[in-house]
Amino acid sequence: MSRIYDDRALRNRAVRSARLPGAWDPAAHQGGPGVLLEGELADVSRHSVCDAQGRKERYRVLYVRPSRIHRRKFDARGNEMEPNFSDSRKVNTGFLPSSYKVEAKGDTDRLSPEALQALVNKPELLALTTSLTPEHTVAFWMPESEMEAIELELGMGVRLKTRGDGPFLESIAKLEAGTVTKCNFTGDGKTGASWTDNIMAQKSSEGTTEVREQGDGAEDEEWDD
């Protein structure tokens, strides 16, 4: 059964105002392919940023405790591709499910929490959020206007995509038992139709083992490494 969310307490949190001496330019932090991650929403803060040119924007900062992190990948035409989810895979060597060997599967796109922080943490933004950041979390920014379609609850599971190698989000989706139930796009179709929702939800739900012929289907277990 779906849970009922009430995020009024988060929406009504005090807005923290910051006046910057220079220009506010999120695009300067959006180079590179970006990251795809899942994790737990630990906290939320609200910020109003005003720069020297009078530009003023409001953001919510999501403090997420990541559990699964991968590099985003794109082909030559700019279409997003499925990352290499593991640096190894299990290959069956006999008829029993327990008979397998582990072999390399090429360069992995998986990232450690430390590598994630090295990519997305920016000093000028950390100055606004470090004192608010719970332990073992990473701060991600999104304009408040882009989050009206989604309700948030602390402790919920989320799936995020960043705009390049920085803390600004391209999309956020709500997870229940590994399945997307709501995202920040109108109609939810834009995120729901993407390969990330299908592949990652499928991998999260796999938990049974069946007897297969020699060499068949060993790759299905690679997320369990």
Side-chain angles (χ1 to χ4, degrees):
M1 179 181 294
S2 297
R3 298 164 62 188
I4 299 176
Y5 293 93
D6 184 354
D7 70 342
R8 284 175 296 180
L10 297 182
R11 291 179 184 270
N12 293 334
R13 288 194 173 184
V15 177
R16 298 172 180 269
S17 298
R19 185 172 296 275
L20 306 180
W24 174 249
D25 186 14
H29 304 300
Q30 296 175 14
V35 296
L36 164 68
L37 71 145
E38 291 182 353
E40 175 190 350
L41 180 63
D43 206 353
V44 177
S45 59
R46 302 175 66 206
H47 297 261
S48 175
V49 179
C50 183
D51 68 9
Q53 284 73 45
R55 179 181 179 181
K56 188 175 183 179
E57 295 184 1
R58 279 197 175 189
Y59 287 83
R60 288 195 210 178
V61 176
L62 312 183
Y63 302 92
V64 176
R65 190 170 289 112
S67 58
R68 183 180 295 174
I69 316 161
H70 297 277
R71 269 288 204 177
R72 297 180 70 181
K73 292 180 65 175
F74 299 86
D75 62 20
R77 296 183 177 180
N79 299 314
E80 189 160 13
M81 303 165 56
E82 178 182 341
N84 180 358
F85 288 112
S86 178
D87 56 353
S88 64
R89 63 178 178 177
K90 296 175 181 177
V91 178
N92 287 350
T93 58
F95 292 100
L96 297 177
S98 58
S99 300
Y100 63 85
K101 65 178 180 179
V102 177
E103 66 177 26
K105 193 190 172 186
D107 295 332
T108 182
D109 296 307
R110 181 181 297 171
L111 295 174
S112 67
E114 294 76 19
L116 172 66
Q117 292 183 37
L119 281 176
V120 306
N121 284 349
K122 310 300 178 183
E124 55 268 47
L125 300 177
L126 288 177
L128 305 178
T129 60
T130 296
S131 63
L132 307 173
T133 306
E135 189 176 10
H136 305 306
T137 67
V138 181
F140 296 95
W141 294 64
M142 179 166 267
E144 280 201 336
S145 60
E146 296 181 18
M147 298 193 64
E148 295 303 319
I150 188 169
E151 295 179 343
L152 300 175
E153 181 179 272
L154 300 186
M156 67 184 283
V158 292
R159 180 180 300 156
L160 312 176
K161 287 183 181 182
T162 65
R163 296 183 184 275
D165 297 340
F168 293 95
L169 294 179
E170 178 179 302
S171 69
I172 173 174
K174 203 160 60 172
L175 295 178
E176 288 187 12
T179 302
V180 171
T181 60
K182 191 73 175 177
C183 68
N184 63 309
F185 291 105
T186 302
D188 297 346
K190 186 169 182 181
T191 297
S194 68
W195 62 261
T196 52
D197 303 296
N198 296 326
I199 295 296
M200 295 188 77
Q202 174 184 345
K203 295 297 184 181
S204 297
S205 63
E206 289 176 356
T208 60
T209 302
E210 59 183 279
V211 177
R212 298 182 173 92
E213 295 298 324
Q214 182 173 355
D216 287 345
E219 291 83 356
D220 291 345
E221 300 177 349
E222 63 201 27
W223 272 61
D224 298 330
D225 292 356

